[in-house]
Amino acid sequence: MAVMARHWSSLSVWELAAVGTVLMVAAVLAPLPLYLLALSVFGLPHVLWELRWIRQTYQAQIPSWVWLAWWGVLGLQAAARLGSWLGVVSAPVTLLVDLLTLALLFWVVAALAWRWGSLRAWLLAVLAACLGVALLWVVNNGDVVAVLVLLAIIHNFTPLFLVSQGQRFATLPARSVLAGLFSLPLLLIAALWWLGMPAPNTVGWWMPSEATWLQQHLTQGFSSVLSGVVLAQCLHYYSVLRLLPTTLPMPAPRWWLLGAVSASALLTLYFLADFKAARQLYAVAAGFHAWLEFPLILLLFSGLGIGKARVE
């Protein structure tokens, strides 16, 4: 196992360059097939790998009552999305629950950050509380779908903010590696927009929900944004499945890997049989892990870090 851990932890600039190049080319030439393949094969694994990484990395730094509060709120979101998959909860209700649960998560962060005791944490507590209020305002007065689209796009870049200062991928600074990778979608969008990339044929394809919304609201530049969003999603998967685990002392145990791979294979088969229904079922897990990232990142901004004593 020690040999496996050393092998898995190795990482080179050549690997990063190769992965970035291949994904960029694929995102330009075939963004929708790339999206479908990545989601169907790597969607659930990346959720499971990231949840394990978060637990291993930050569980000891966050009080038990915060985890319990988060799990309870996330359970409400998961229940609403599961109800949508079963056909017993309407889509508008599911969208509202998404924003309301995220607002609750922000308020839990505000409560913890306020107790952290530093000026930086107090400012973050005010910000988290205001974000919760803003989401509540959107529920009553704003464009819920637009906010969820924005959050879905931002979510692709979250690995950059999940790592702590000083963490490394093998010998490479984690934040520098992720900053380089996640600059690629922005550069790609700018380059394709300037070149006037023709719009792709979307008939008969399933697109990311955020891309569907963007197609309806962007009069030009949609193909550029689509390639950028798909590239960012693939880089998110690569970061979670390949890069983040290198910061852990040992690879996942065999029994955990067997269970995760088995569940992922079953979901992939479901995607092949009924993509729309499988996408709704996958959204249960995807929403759970995405909504967990946002309050955790806020806590990191408040001063939480690896090795810091937790506030009870």
Side-chain angles (χ1 to χ4, degrees), residues 51-267:
L51 290 176
R52 179 179 181 272
W53 181 84
I54 288 175
R55 179 178 180 275
Q56 295 288 318
T57 304
Y58 290 115
Q59 184 180 29
Q61 281 71 51
I62 300 176
S64 300
W65 69 267
V66 175
W67 287 115
L68 290 175
W70 282 353
W71 299 149
V73 174
L74 290 169
L76 295 175
Q77 185 213 33
R81 291 195 171 198
L82 186 61
S84 178
W85 174 65
L86 293 172
V88 297
V89 177
S90 67
V93 170
T94 304
L95 297 179
L96 292 178
V97 170
D98 274 350
L99 286 189
L100 289 173
T101 50
L102 186 57
L104 289 173
L105 292 171
F106 284 153
W107 288 331
V108 173
V109 169
L112 178 60
W114 190 260
R115 301 173 63 182
W116 193 259
S118 67
L119 177 61
R120 177 179 173 183
W122 289 337
L123 293 174
L124 196 285
V126 173
L127 173 61
C130 290
L131 287 174
V133 172
L135 290 176
L136 195 62
W137 180 88
V138 170
V139 168
N140 289 319
N141 306 285
D143 189 339
V144 173
V145 175
V147 172
L148 290 174
V149 167
L150 177 62
L151 290 171
I153 294 175
I154 292 174
H155 158 71
N156 290 324
F157 297 85
T158 52
L160 175 60
F161 306 103
L162 284 172
V163 294
S164 286
Q165 186 69 36
Q167 277 190 303
R168 305 182 75 83
F169 300 144
T171 61
L172 304 175
R175 283 188 176 174
S176 297
V177 169
L178 293 174
L181 285 177
F182 285 106
S183 67
L184 297 179
L186 303 179
L187 294 174
L188 183 65
I189 291 174
L192 294 181
W193 201 311
W194 180 71
L195 292 172
M197 189 73 175
N201 179 14
T202 59
V203 177
W205 289 100
W206 286 99
M207 290 196 298
S209 56
E210 56 270 28
T212 302
W213 186 91
L214 289 169
Q215 185 180 34
Q216 297 170 352
H217 292 81
L218 277 179
T219 55
Q220 57 181 335
F222 166 69
S223 59
S224 308
V225 176
L226 175 64
S227 292
V229 168
V230 171
L231 175 60
Q233 177 173 301
C234 291
L235 290 173
H236 180 97
Y237 290 172
Y238 173 70
S239 300
V240 170
L241 291 169
R242 172 67 177 106
L243 300 180
L244 294 185
T246 64
T247 66
L248 300 178
M250 293 292 289
R254 186 171 301 176
W255 63 266
W256 188 91
L257 285 173
L258 180 62
V261 171
S262 298
S264 301
L266 290 174
L267 185 60

